[in-house]
Amino acid sequence: MRDADGGIADVRDVLGRIREAVETVVEGKDDVVRTALVVLLAEGHLLVEDVPGVGKTMLAKALARATGVTVRRVQFTPDLLPSDLTGVSVYDTEQRRFEFKPGPVFAHVVVGDEINRASPKTQSALLECMGERQVTVDGTTHTLARPFMVVATQNPAEMEGTYPLPEAQRDRFMARVSMGYPSMASELAMLGSHGARDPLTDLEPVSDPGELRRATAVAAAVHASPAVQQYLLDLVTATRTHPAVALGASPRASLHLLRASRAVAVLDGRDHVLPDDVQSLAVPVLAHRLVLSPEASAVRRTAEDVVRDLVQRVPVPTAARA
């Protein structure tokens, strides 16, 4: 137990440094930064959805730079090809053989700007990368780096000429967050600190890939009691029978919610998961996976509303059971 506590303390220290560094760039978005760190620690992928100019790409770049990992940014457009992401085999006339040229997915953090601007064929090129952390090109499988995280952005306001992410693609993202507009105080501070220069210029790495790999191993070993796991499963299963939902959360959602809950426990300095951890992540982890019924959509009910309703209704395990 002492070794576990020491490991958790070390991880909290690492994540604390990363969080402080990111928050020097992303003003007044503590909850969003925390969720991004949870996804990073749980080895998941993050979907950032909001209007232009609120810092979606800045969040991804700041997270990558603070962690000291490699980062590649891809602007998704209708003419982007799958090989533009994964890489391509090029014939070397001198060596008389094909040589694989890696694409931008061969980085620790891949920032996909406006992912819904690309065609479904190009979007699907990320499925194997995100699900299995590998790329298969011309019959050869290439393993991606660890940690590996896709941070994709999309703008829900300008949907003309876009290709909405299919359910299989959305299901690969561990969590979805919305940046929202900053408060007046945060925006005023941003004008003073970011008005003259790029805020990323002064951001120095406070971690490295090896440290992150050790941190993810500690988070994966956090204890989740059978009662908490049953509560988590009850919550996910309830999305599949809710009258307002046409398509509920998948078994992958259960796994993502468990891994994210373990990461939250570590951030809070605990070696075990509480029902509160599950509840705090229910909306960002589950809502984007749900497809509402036409009747629910007609009355402008949202998936977030449904998940919050289920959090209130699904019984929480007692202390004796947990």
Side-chain angles (χ1 to χ4, degrees):
M1 180 63 70
R2 186 176 303 168
D3 291 342
D5 291 344
I8 290 173
D10 291 341
V11 174
R12 287 194 73 193
D13 178 65
V14 172
L15 273 294
R17 297 197 310 265
I18 296 173
R19 183 172 186 169
E20 289 177 6
V22 173
E23 288 178 350
T24 63
V25 175
V26 182
E27 301 275 355
K29 296 297 175 184
D30 297 352
D31 291 342
V32 173
V33 173
R34 178 179 169 87
T35 302
L37 290 176
V38 166
V39 174
L40 175 66
L41 188 59
E43 296 189 280
H45 308 288
L46 183 67
L47 180 62
V48 188
E49 185 177 279
D50 218 317
V51 297
V54 294
K56 301 187 296 293
T57 306
M58 187 70 73
L59 169 67
K61 287 184 174 181
L63 185 65
R65 184 164 296 190
T67 50
V69 300
T70 57
V71 58
R72 296 289 298 274
R73 176 183 176 273
V74 182
Q75 181 66 50
F76 280 70
T77 56
D79 60 347
L80 193 72
L81 299 175
S83 58
D84 294 330
L85 292 174
T86 59
V88 64
S89 296
V90 178
Y91 187 72
D92 187 332
T93 55
E94 292 184 0
Q95 300 292 330
R96 294 187 177 182
R97 60 183 176 83
F98 282 95
E99 182 180 355
F100 178 65
K101 300 293 184 182
V105 296
F106 287 87
H108 292 108
V109 175
V110 178
V111 182
D113 262 339
E114 297 187 289
I115 188 174
N116 54 335
R117 294 283 177 194
S119 68
K121 183 177 181 179
T122 301
Q123 291 176 6
S124 65
L126 286 174
L127 289 175
E128 184 183 13
C129 306
M130 297 170 66
E132 303 170 46
R133 286 175 169 76
Q134 65 182 30
V135 171
T136 302
V137 179
D138 296 333
T140 302
T141 299
H142 307 271
T143 303
L144 298 176
R146 290 191 65 183
F148 174 72
M149 180 181 185
V150 173
V151 182
T153 74
Q154 63 176 2
N155 172 18
E158 297 177 0
M159 299 301 291
E160 204 170 313
T162 64
Y163 304 87
L165 294 179
E167 287 78 10
Q169 188 81 52
R170 292 203 309 269
D171 200 40
R172 294 301 200 281
F173 288 99
M174 178 172 284
R176 179 184 65 181
V177 296
S178 177
M179 297 293 292
Y181 289 112
S183 65
M184 185 173 292
S186 296
E187 194 163 0
L188 186 60
M190 182 183 67
L191 292 177
S193 59
H194 302 172
R197 59 185 302 174
D198 185 350
L200 290 171
T201 304
D202 299 325
L203 185 59
E204 297 291 336
V206 294
S207 182
D208 58 66
E211 205 166 33
L212 285 180
R213 285 191 290 269
R214 290 190 292 272
T216 57
V218 170
V222 167
H223 175 68
S225 70
V228 169
Q229 292 188 41
Q230 184 62 56
Y231 170 65
L232 183 152
L233 187 57
D234 289 345
L235 194 58
V236 173
T237 303
T239 68
R240 304 167 189 166
T241 57
H242 196 285
V245 178
L247 180 65
S250 67
R252 182 185 286 115
S254 304
L255 293 171
H256 282 181
L257 187 54
L258 177 60
R259 284 162 46 192
S261 298
R262 284 173 167 151
V264 165
V266 171
L267 287 179
D268 290 341
R270 284 181 278 103
D271 63 355
H272 59 282
V273 178
L274 296 176
D276 289 349
D277 301 326
V278 178
Q279 291 178 344
S280 69
L281 291 163
V283 170
V285 173
L286 299 180
H288 67 285
R289 307 169 192 266
L290 306 186
V291 177
L292 299 187
S293 65
E295 295 78 13
S297 300
V299 296
R300 298 184 181 277
R301 194 168 189 186
T302 66
E304 288 80 2
D305 294 334
V306 171
V307 175
R308 292 189 189 100
D309 176 54
L310 292 175
V311 168
Q312 295 296 321
R313 288 170 41 193
V314 174
V316 179
T318 63
R321 290 175 59 203

